[in-house]
Amino acid sequence: MASTNVVVMDTSLGTIKIELNPEKAPITVKNILSYVDDKFYDGTIFHRVISNFMVQCGGFEPGMKQKKTKATIKNESSNGLANARGTVAMARTNVPDSASSQFFINVVDSAFLNKAQAQDGVGYCVFGKVIEGMDIVDKIKGVKTTTKGGHGDVPVQDVVIHSVRRAEA
């Protein structure tokens, strides 16, 4: 893949490079890149951290202030990409086509999120993978969490995303 399909996430704990997969998840990658290009993720936080599952970000600012998002997108979970450690997938509600800006990085293999094994028969769309910085993801998964504003698994100290940008070609 060309380096234009790589985004660099600068966080308060370090840098994570994510390679996107537009061949397998074209709608999702186009959506994510539109948020990246709009600098939407700047100043957002990892708002849900479950150390034996995943770290989620992309929708809240410090203080658990939810950001306004664009329209939801079609779920591309039937693309054959598995929710394995280091892969990046779209977060959504119980409604299959409800993903917008939020995504998560799998910190373990989570086959139960794949379409074939998903309880809802739909699953969660993988659209990329971490190619550098899994050590940073592992730092994030290790932070202490609490409940804030009715949300569980929220880091006690904010893990801030300073920026997400396309990598230089």
Side-chain angles (χ1 to χ4, degrees), residues 26-93:
I27 295 166
T28 306
V29 169
K30 182 180 179 192
N31 174 65
I32 288 292
L33 287 174
S34 76
Y35 282 107
V36 168
D37 293 343
D38 290 348
K39 299 180 169 71
F40 177 88
Y41 297 116
D42 296 12
T44 60
I45 57 171
F46 280 88
H47 65 274
R48 188 168 174 233
V49 172
I50 303 174
S51 65
N52 61 352
F53 178 32
M54 57 90 221
V55 297
Q56 184 172 331
C57 62
F60 290 85
E61 294 173 329
M64 292 302 290
K65 181 174 178 262
Q66 193 159 8
K67 290 190 77 168
K68 186 165 172 45
T69 62
K70 301 176 185 187
T72 57
I73 59 169
K74 180 177 179 356
N75 188 324
E76 295 177 293
S77 61
S78 58
N79 65 16
L81 297 176
N83 279 277
R85 175 173 161 79
T87 59
V88 185
M90 290 306 290
R92 62 174 177 84
T93 66

Side-chain angles (χ1 to χ4, degrees), residues 47-49 64 143-157:
H47 65 274
R48 188 168 174 233
V49 172
M64 292 302 290
V143 302
K144 285 192 178 357
T145 59
T146 188
T147 300
K148 283 185 190 172
H151 297 274
D153 308 304
V154 179
V156 173
Q157 291 199 305

Side-chain angles (χ1 to χ4, degrees), residues 10-31:
D10 178 36
T11 79
S12 56
L13 292 180
T15 301
I16 302 165
K17 282 189 180 174
I18 299 167
E19 182 177 48
L20 307 176
N21 192 329
E23 290 79 27
K24 295 278 191 174
I27 295 166
T28 306
V29 169
K30 182 180 179 192
N31 174 65

